[in-house]
Amino acid sequence: MESSTLALHTDKYQINMMYAHWINGSHERKAVFETYFRKLPFGNGYAVFAGLERIVEYVRGLRFTEADIAYLAKQEEDYAPAFLELLKQFKFRGTIHAMPEGSLVFPNEPLIRVEGTIFETQLVETALLNFMNYQTLIATKASRIKQVAWNDVLMEFGTRRAQEADAAIWGARAAYIAGFDATSNMLAGEKFGIPTKGTHAHSWVQIFGSEKEAFEVYAKALPDQVTLLVDTFDTLKSGVPHAIQTAKHLEAQGKRMGGIRLDSGDLAYLSIEARKMLDEAGLHYVKITASNDLDENTIFNLKAQGAKIDSWGVGTQLITASDQPSLGGVYKLVEREMNGKMEPTIKISGNPEKVTTPGKKDVFRIVDRQSGKAVADYMCFPNEEEPRRGGRLRLFNPLHPYLQKYVQNYDAVPMLVPIFVNGEQVYELPTLESIREYHKQQLSMFWPQYLRKLNPEIYRVNMSQTVWELKQKLIADHLKEEE
Ligand SMILES: Nc1ncnc2c1ncn2[C@@H]1O[C@H](COP(=O)(O)OP(=O)(O)OP(=O)(O)O)[C@@H](O)[C@H]1O
Ligand SMILES: O=P(O)(O)OC[C@H]1O[C@H](OP(=O)(O)OP(=O)(O)O)[C@H](O)[C@@H]1O
Ligand SMILES: O=C(O)c1cccnc1
């Protein structure tokens, strides 16, 4: 999909608010929004931030086409022609900061910060959340799978089960960021340069008179990359013996068969038996691939059972993040222009978790210089000097003040980097390979207790005393107003 056609990829209420602001004359007022999520997905200890490349493409191409304008005019008679004329001229002129893709990220810290007129900042909310929430979710799921698969080969096979084409393609990219090695989706391969891999389907075997013939024909056509699916009839009695025969024929031509794929039955038992048969035939180099509704739990269990599987094809469970199919990232107003001056703003809620943290904030990752490990993420206002100077920092939990800790001798790594400044893109999009590399480095900066899949330790995300006090003050002001 062309990014320039995405201007209407927004909720109607955004356009209505833009219109009402325009009618009211308030559309040029400045605003600052921050995106964050409140709860980590899958009970994981971290999330893997993804979606920025798509966001950059979207913002760069954000224009209303003639067709968009005509559609809006037809949709709402209320929209005045002069408003539609303004939309025709629309270009995003704001400033965006975001975490780099592949960053490990945590609840309640800004991942993207958008500054600009209320007109433009309101418009982009829906699409930004759509891209960030999906891609971050899939990258996080993929990261959990990578954790259990270690150095085995991981192939993303999800396209047929993905929630439509964009999800398949951007999901394949998110999985690759988090450590998958390849995708079966050729368009994702072409678009992003992700390595592609594939075996063959049951239909390949079924269309021939025999499994043996099917294997031979396939190996003849693709002698340098053949992985044969051995479970169409009977894995151990027919599939593996036929695959061994084909491998021997290839050997006679000086070629090596790549592997076999198991796609049903007890994958632990079958892989152990198949490995024995292959080894006995001297085919130590032939790899075993497994697929069939795999996820991090089945892979972990199969490994615990001693399965002899070298490579995993993972589809449905990954691409649909089936155990938690959405990430609840939100986009909240934290500062507004009032009488020509910027001031913090808060949203109060009956649910304490939903009370926002006012003011435009920076996020620093506090990294202990001695160990090189991350200690906490620290949110403070742009004018707060402490972390920038490397001064002694107090990390405290406002709800449990005795849980405090002082840190010094640290590096404060700014996590929100400038992407657009006054509408100009200032961020050079990294290559996918360097994003993967950066993600690996990120993982190495965390102690294992934050990374483990089951019951991970909670990593600290702290706010400065000043941020906390402002939040309390705005809550108190609000209560006074209510009296
Ligand atoms: N040894 C094992 N331990 C735990 N889970 C396994 C083991 N072997 C296979 N599985 C998983 O169990 C599930 C089996 O699903 P299912 O019963 O649908 O497969 P099947 O009947 O073998 O094959 P088919 O897909 O042809 O129906 C899959 O998710 C598979 O990955
Ligand atoms: O199981 P997933 O993790 O989604 O991996 C992709 C699956 O897609 C293919 O089968 P297909 O879906 O065509 O049929 P099947 O599942 O009935 O074998 C393949 O054989 C895998 O089993
Ligand atoms: O290449 C494969 O084996 C493959 C690709 C997509 C889905 N299932 C299997």
Side-chain angles (χ1 to χ4, degrees):
M1 201 192 284
E2 269 298 303
S3 49
S4 57
T5 64
L6 288 181
L8 292 187
H9 182 51
T10 189
D11 295 305
K12 185 168 191 177
Y13 80 165
Q14 314 287 15
I15 308 269
N16 278 344
M17 286 187 279
M18 291 163 76
Y19 184 62
H21 270 304
W22 180 75
I23 290 281
N24 185 44
S26 51
H27 60 293
E28 303 246 290
R29 272 172 65 187
K30 297 274 194 253
V32 183
F33 284 87
E34 290 174 354
T35 73
Y36 57 95
F37 59 83
R38 302 186 181 101
K39 200 164 168 278
L40 282 160
F42 322 114
N44 211 44
Y46 61 90
V48 181
F49 181 68
L52 183 59
E53 184 165 315
R54 185 94 208 259
I55 288 169
V56 168
E57 269 183 20
Y58 159 77
V59 170
R60 224 169 30 199
L62 197 48
R63 302 278 188 287
F64 290 86
T65 62
E66 290 291 338
D68 295 338
I69 300 290
Y71 170 75
L72 287 172
K74 243 187 23 218
Q75 265 290 300
E76 276 316 323
E77 282 172 13
D78 277 346
Y79 294 158
F83 169 71
L84 297 175
E85 203 44 51
L86 189 66
L87 291 187
K88 262 195 212 163
Q89 314 304 324
F90 181 90
K91 179 179 180 307
F92 183 84
R93 293 193 165 81
T95 294
I96 298 182
H97 286 73
M99 303 240 177
E101 285 191 291
S103 297
L104 295 209
V105 296
F106 301 91
N108 300 312
E109 60 185 7
L111 308 179
I112 307 174
R113 196 175 75 201
V114 183
E115 302 167 60
T117 64
I118 187 65
F119 201 68
E120 61 197 353
T121 53
Q122 199 70 68
L123 175 67
V124 299
E125 165 177 0
T126 311
L128 258 56
L129 289 179
N130 179 217
F131 302 143
M132 174 190 100
N133 280 330
Y134 174 69
Q135 294 190 38
T136 300
L137 184 74
I138 301 303
T140 308
K141 180 75 178 166
S143 183
R144 285 170 66 75
I145 297 170
K146 173 70 184 166
Q147 281 224 8
V148 302
W150 290 93
N151 291 324
D152 297 350
V153 174
L154 280 172
M155 296 176 292
E156 185 282 310
F157 277 180
T159 299
R160 60 194 59 202
R161 301 282 152 58
Q163 327 292 18
E164 263 276 6
D166 273 6
I169 288 157
W170 290 94
R173 180 178 179 277
Y176 189 64
I177 288 176
F180 269 60
D181 299 284
T183 178
S184 61
N185 186 302
M186 296 297 278
L187 182 56
E190 181 192 37
K191 195 170 158 71
F192 304 122
I194 305 172
T196 53
K197 277 189 194 290
T199 71
H200 67 75
H202 294 111
S203 58
W204 175 261
V205 177
Q206 289 168 267
I207 200 98
F208 288 93
S210 72
E211 187 178 56
K212 188 165 177 292
E213 182 191 357
F215 286 0
E216 290 295 325
V217 176
Y218 204 57
K220 198 167 161 206
L222 293 152
D224 297 312
Q225 49 157 315
V226 65
T227 293
L228 299 171
L229 175 59
V230 292
D231 74 336
T232 307
F233 303 121
D234 187 318
T235 300
L236 299 180
K237 290 208 179 102
S238 126
V240 177
H242 285 145
I244 289 173
Q245 282 178 15
T246 303
K248 290 289 174 192
H249 290 156
L250 279 171
E251 267 187 0
Q253 300 157 39
K255 306 263 181 200
R256 290 187 146 204
M257 191 167 94
I260 60 167
R261 174 161 74 98
L262 307 171
D263 189 45
S264 58
D266 184 330
L267 297 172
Y269 169 74
L270 291 174
S271 65
I272 291 167
E273 293 304 311
R275 183 75 270 157
K276 272 193 224 151
M277 292 163 76
L278 290 166
D279 288 351
E280 277 162 16
L283 299 168
H284 306 276
Y285 59 84
V286 172
K287 304 277 190 234
I288 300 182
T289 294
S291 54
N292 191 16
D293 224 17
L294 296 169
D295 69 0
E296 64 273 35
N297 299 318
T298 38
I299 295 175
F300 186 77
N301 267 286
L302 286 164
K303 283 170 119 25
Q305 293 165 52
K308 297 284 185 202
I309 295 167
D310 308 289
S311 138
W312 309 85
V314 186
T316 312
Q317 301 292 327
L318 164 67
I319 209 72
T320 65
S322 68
D323 44 341
Q324 189 188 317
S326 72
L327 177 70
V330 295
Y331 182 86
K332 294 292 164 194
L333 185 68
V334 293
E335 270 189 33
R336 64 181 181 189
E337 183 184 348
M338 212 44 163
N339 306 319
K341 274 180 59 189
M342 294 306 287
E343 65 171 34
T345 170
I346 192 167
K347 176 189 172 293
I348 306 285
S349 164
N351 177 352
E353 276 183 4
K354 292 198 168 183
V355 177
T356 61
T357 301
K360 161 173 143 179
K361 296 170 287 297
D362 284 332
V363 184
F364 290 96
R365 185 145 295 163
I366 307 301
V367 180
D368 178 56
R369 281 201 180 136
Q370 235 174 1
S371 63
K373 299 289 185 198
V375 177
D377 281 8
Y378 188 79
M379 292 182 282
C380 62
F381 295 132
N383 63 2
E384 289 190 67
E385 288 288 313
E386 217 51 30
R388 292 174 175 85
R389 279 197 293 110
R392 188 166 180 256
L393 271 194
R394 176 169 170 254
L395 305 178
F396 74 107
N397 180 331
L399 300 179
H400 308 286
Y402 63 94
L403 286 177
Q404 64 167 6
K405 177 172 168 173
Y406 286 90
V407 282
Q408 44 199 7
N409 195 26
Y410 60 83
D411 289 316
V413 183
M415 293 302 290
L416 288 173
V417 300
I419 311 294
F420 288 90
V421 174
N422 299 327
E424 291 305 316
Q425 187 182 332
V426 295
Y427 182 67
E428 197 180 322
L429 287 170
T431 63
L432 197 50
E433 291 308 319
S434 60
I435 295 173
R436 251 163 89 83
E437 207 36 57
Y438 169 74
H439 173 63
K440 270 197 217 152
Q441 278 168 22
Q442 284 276 294
L443 284 169
S444 71
M445 286 174 62
F446 285 82
W447 294 109
Q449 59 265 34
Y450 301 117
L451 303 180
R452 69 175 176 242
K453 243 170 77 274
L454 189 65
N455 303 326
E457 285 288 316
I458 296 170
Y459 177 74
R460 297 178 83 119
V461 175
N462 288 130
M463 56 181 96
S464 71
Q465 185 76 31
T466 317
V467 172
W468 171 247
E469 282 168 6
L470 179 73
K471 186 168 182 172
Q472 296 316 299
K473 179 181 173 303
L474 292 201
I475 293 174
D477 289 352
H478 169 79
L479 291 177
K480 255 191 246 142
E481 270 170 31
E482 279 207 326
E483 274 168 16

